[in-house]
Amino acid sequence: MFHKTVNQKIEKIERNAPCWCGSGKKYKTCHMQFDEKLKKFAMAGYIVPDRSLIKTPAQVEGIKKSSVINRACLDNVGKAIRAGMSTQEIDDIVYETTVSMGGIPADLHYEGYPKSVCTSINDEVCHGIPDENIILKEGDIVNVDCSTILNGYFSDGEVSEEKQRLVRVTKECVEIGLQNVKPWRCLGDMGDAVHQHALKNGYTVVKEIGGHGIGLQFHEDPFVSYVSKPGTEMLMVPGMCFTIEPMVNMGTDRIYEDENNGWTIYTGDGKPSAQWEIQVLVTETGAEVLTW
Ligand code: MF3
Ligand code: CO
């Protein structure tokens, strides 16, 4: 997901009118205090989410059902993955699992993407396209990233398979990011925590591609950076849903795009890159993980 800009405004609602969240309650007994708090942050110069980014309980339920399929895809790939297998076989597993459970692979035909999953090996940072001629070898780092649509709700998650410290540290980065998802704090606090853990281990983090809001669309605002500074970027508020998916490089953070397929991103120096992805919901007290 590439960077895009964010803008928002908080529209006024009459106290006794029904709340915008669809709860059926009056605004004054539902999200009115929440909006007032949000407005204070906006006045103080923080970037705040607009209402389209705040998921209602019914929407969260829909996203959770979608994530069950996403999890099943990754579990099925995890069970089957082995040296000698083609990345097309991974694509077949994701497609079959998703469709048999009533879902649609969100990647398939997304902006012309030709397959149901991204399989990115070694120096491929992301958006590797499955192919029957690409065969996994012993010791490869393989990033399997799939997303699911069920009843219009989107989920997104991925696993890395390998044998290297890079993959372990990248997973730790995601866990540390998760610990730093707290309501009424900035996304930059989370992003910086991820970044520092990578740097401490001698690695770099890709700047141009990051995470994203998700739920009612595949890629919603905000863009989620993992090289951001504390106290910057959008405020995290209860009901927001986004991914934590840092791409951690062993060498340079420079990347380039495959000019032939227009999708696959590689590291600038040919050294390996790893990624893990979870989808989280910001709650009143912290975060709930929707896809692991
Ligand atoms: N799953 C990727 C993400 O995390 C997006 C892949 S888009 C595709 O944002 F078209 F390449 F599938
Ligand atoms: Co994603």
Side-chain angles (χ1 to χ4, degrees):
M1 180 53 193
F2 291 85
H3 207 302
K4 57 179 174 173
T5 49
V6 166
N7 68 344
Q8 65 284 308
K9 62 174 187 286
I10 304 168
E11 262 167 55
K12 277 213 153 101
I13 294 185
E14 207 272 308
R15 292 169 57 84
N16 290 310
C19 188
W20 55 262
C21 81
S23 64
K25 287 194 255 179
K26 285 183 180 173
Y27 180 51
K28 65 181 178 189
T29 59
C30 195
H31 273 88
M32 193 172 87
Q33 276 181 317
F34 171 97
D35 278 357
E36 277 163 7
K37 191 165 180 178
L38 205 59
K39 231 173 269 180
K40 279 196 190 126
F41 276 97
M43 294 297 286
Y46 289 87
I47 303 168
V48 301
D50 67 23
R51 286 176 187 148
S52 72
L53 304 183
I54 312 294
K55 271 63 187 176
T56 67
Q59 289 169 337
V60 170
E61 279 317 301
I63 296 167
K64 284 184 178 171
K65 286 192 182 129
S66 163
S67 75
V68 170
I69 301 179
N70 208 255
R71 182 69 254 166
C73 288
L74 297 176
D75 286 346
N76 287 345
V77 171
K79 276 183 236 155
I81 200 164
R82 57 185 162 73
M85 181 181 197
S86 76
T87 53
Q88 179 58 50
E89 287 173 72
I90 296 176
D91 193 74
D92 293 342
I93 293 170
V94 170
Y95 182 82
E96 293 300 332
T97 305
T98 305
V99 170
S100 73
M101 294 175 77
I104 302 166
D107 288 7
L108 192 59
H109 309 313
Y110 175 77
E111 294 188 2
Y113 187 76
K115 297 285 173 169
S116 299
V117 59
C118 296
T119 50
S120 311
I121 303 173
N122 299 332
D123 67 326
E124 293 173 351
V125 173
C126 63
H127 305 164
I129 304 177
D131 191 294
E132 59 188 10
N133 296 314
I134 300 175
I135 308 295
L136 303 183
K137 297 186 306 298
E138 204 65 47
D140 279 344
I141 298 178
V142 189
N143 165 358
V144 179
D145 182 357
C146 71
S147 306
T148 308
I149 316 172
L150 180 68
N151 302 325
Y153 294 109
F154 289 74
S155 56
D156 192 2
E158 74 197 35
V159 293
S160 285
E161 300 281 343
E162 65 34 78
K163 312 189 157 80
Q164 287 191 48
R165 176 175 162 268
L166 176 67
V167 172
R168 175 175 55 78
V169 170
T170 306
K171 190 173 187 197
E172 289 166 3
C173 283
V174 171
E175 286 158 357
I176 288 166
L178 173 61
Q179 287 159 16
N180 283 278
V181 177
K182 299 194 178 102
W184 312 105
R185 301 287 298 275
C186 292
L187 271 172
D189 300 3
M190 185 281 291
D192 185 58
V194 169
H195 194 196
Q196 293 310 322
H197 189 65
L199 290 178
K200 199 170 74 190
N201 284 282
Y203 300 143
T204 63
V205 176
V206 171
K207 297 188 288 285
E208 298 87 342
I209 316 173
H212 49 94
I214 180 168
L216 311 186
Q217 293 174 58
F218 196 173
H219 295 124
E220 302 175 2
D221 280 337
F223 172 76
V224 181
S225 168
Y226 310 102
V227 293
S228 44
K229 299 281 172 257
T232 69
E233 307 288 328
M234 191 181 279
L235 201 68
M236 296 182 272
V237 308
M240 272 171 77
C241 186
F242 58 86
T243 66
I244 303 181
E245 51 173 319
M247 295 160 207
V248 179
N249 293 355
M250 196 174 278
T252 181
D253 60 358
R254 270 185 303 113
I255 55 172
Y256 68 93
E257 187 178 278
D258 189 313
E259 35 179 65
N260 296 316
N261 72 20
W263 278 102
T264 310
I265 307 291
Y266 298 89
T267 58
D269 56 8
K271 290 189 181 166
S273 177
Q275 186 183 25
W276 287 81
E277 175 170 15
I278 61 174
Q279 180 173 339
V280 298
L281 173 73
V282 183
T283 65
E284 298 291 340
T285 52
E288 184 180 346
V289 178
L290 301 185
T291 66
W292 251 124

